[in-house]
Amino acid sequence: MLEIRDLEVGYGDIQALFGVSFMVEEGSIMAVLGPNGAGKSTLLKTISGLLRPKAGEILFEGKPLTGLHPYDIAELGIAHVPEGRRVFPSLTVEENLIVGSVAKRARQHRAASMAEVYELFPRLKERRTQGAGSLSGGEQQMLAIGRAMMLRPRLLILDEPSLGLAPILVENVFEKIREIRQKGITMLLVEQNAAVCLATTQEGCVLEQGRIVVRGTREQLLDSRLVQEAYLGV
Ligand SMILES: Nc1ncnc2c1ncn2[C@@H]1O[C@H](COP(=O)(O)OP(=O)(O)OP(=O)(O)O)[C@@H](O)[C@H]1O
Ligand SMILES: [Mg+2]
């Protein structure tokens, strides 16, 4: 469904990604692990059109995304949940969800999408008239995911959804991620929490200093010395 080929991305003179290549199969969850500064967010921002690659290609269902604007990429059904759950704090929960459905592909399905999001996250329904800024960290993460779901995405890309959450909430977020997968939505999931992440995904890769250093199925990653030592504390 998504194919990344020899991607090179930088900020001015600083190069952040070097020859990154991988594929995400339809219906699967692909994990991208890696330490701070590895280039994980850069990779996701390039896929959703916020950054332009210097070289390489990104194909979504065989069509190149390179050169498209973020809103065109959203229209194709790629939704991005940014790092640090950026909800609009002065809008209510429901208004935040509406913002997620402004794309043409999503607009006419708004009511049905909202019902689906509220079914997935009952807590958001209870809080629908509350200002998003007054939600807890875990609730804001749910809202950020719910807002992305309002696009009716085919591919959902998530940037460290567990960041800053207590362990019980992390488990909760991953439970929702598994429910979303059951709806047939493909995901690209950036995480530093390897143990929780690999319990949920089928395949993954490790990005270090802008390069993929390990790539494989969940079993291959769990067997990898590097993953065991650096990410699982074995
Ligand atoms: N706007 C920017 N201008 C210049 N350099 C940047 C910019 N954003 C990121 N970088 C650099 O690019 C590299 C990769 O950053 P990126 O945010 O993609 O890492 P990350 O893997 O998401 O890290 P983290 O786990 O801390 O979120 C880092 O060296 C970072 O300093
Ligand atoms: Mg990041």
Side-chain angles (χ1 to χ4, degrees), residues 88-107:
F88 299 104
S90 58
L91 301 184
T92 64
V93 165
E94 193 142 306
E95 286 163 349
N96 268 275
L97 293 179
I98 290 169
V99 171
S101 63
V102 294
K104 259 190 244 116
R105 68 176 277 116
R107 234 177 275 157

Side-chain angles (χ1 to χ4, degrees), residues 7 9 17 42-53 58:
L7 202 62
V9 185
L17 295 179
T42 301
L43 171 66
L44 298 194
K45 287 177 190 164
T46 310
I47 296 168
S48 56
L50 299 169
L51 292 172
R52 299 211 161 205
I58 302 173

Side-chain angles (χ1 to χ4, degrees), residues 1-2 23-29 60-61 154-155 181 184-187 202-203:
M1 169 178 251
L2 182 74
M23 276 167 71
V24 186
E25 301 296 337
E26 175 144 30
S28 71
I29 306 180
F60 181 61
E61 304 191 307
R154 313 228 17 240
L155 175 69
R181 177 171 181 242
I185 297 170
T186 310
M187 277 174 270
Q202 292 70 49
E203 49 182 345

Side-chain angles (χ1 to χ4, degrees), residues 41 83 159-160:
S41 298
E83 194 175 325
D159 199 344
E160 300 203 45

Side-chain angles (χ1 to χ4, degrees), residues 66-205:
T66 336
L68 296 185
H69 287 284
Y71 44 81
D72 295 324
I73 292 175
E75 282 302 347
L76 295 174
I78 300 181
H80 185 167
V81 181
E83 194 175 325
R85 36 182 178 271
R86 302 229 191 78
V87 298
F88 299 104
S90 58
L91 301 184
T92 64
V93 165
E94 193 142 306
E95 286 163 349
N96 268 275
L97 293 179
I98 290 169
V99 171
S101 63
V102 294
K104 259 190 244 116
R105 68 176 277 116
R107 234 177 275 157
Q108 72 265 42
H109 306 292
R110 184 172 287 160
S113 307
M114 201 173 282
E116 225 176 287
V117 168
Y118 284 152
E119 196 189 335
L120 186 63
F121 301 115
R123 181 66 67 90
L124 293 183
K125 188 175 185 180
E126 286 167 25
R127 307 274 150 110
R128 64 185 181 279
T129 58
Q130 188 173 320
S134 66
L135 296 176
S136 73
E139 290 163 351
Q140 289 189 17
Q141 185 62 67
M142 300 301 180
L143 179 55
I145 297 173
R147 189 178 59 192
M149 292 293 289
M150 292 294 291
L151 183 69
R152 302 186 88 78
R154 313 228 17 240
L155 175 69
L156 181 62
I157 62 184
L158 297 141
D159 199 344
E160 300 203 45
S162 77
L163 193 70
L165 301 184
I168 178 124
L169 292 179
V170 171
E171 195 37 60
N172 206 284
V173 166
F174 274 87
E175 202 179 295
K176 299 301 178 187
I177 288 172
R178 289 189 286 270
E179 279 182 48
I180 291 169
R181 177 171 181 242
Q182 280 162 8
K183 294 173 184 284
I185 297 170
T186 310
M187 277 174 270
L188 181 59
L189 173 60
V190 157
E191 260 302 330
Q192 292 199 44
N193 193 335
V196 184
C197 186
L198 289 176
T200 296
T201 64
Q202 292 70 49
E203 49 182 345
C205 61

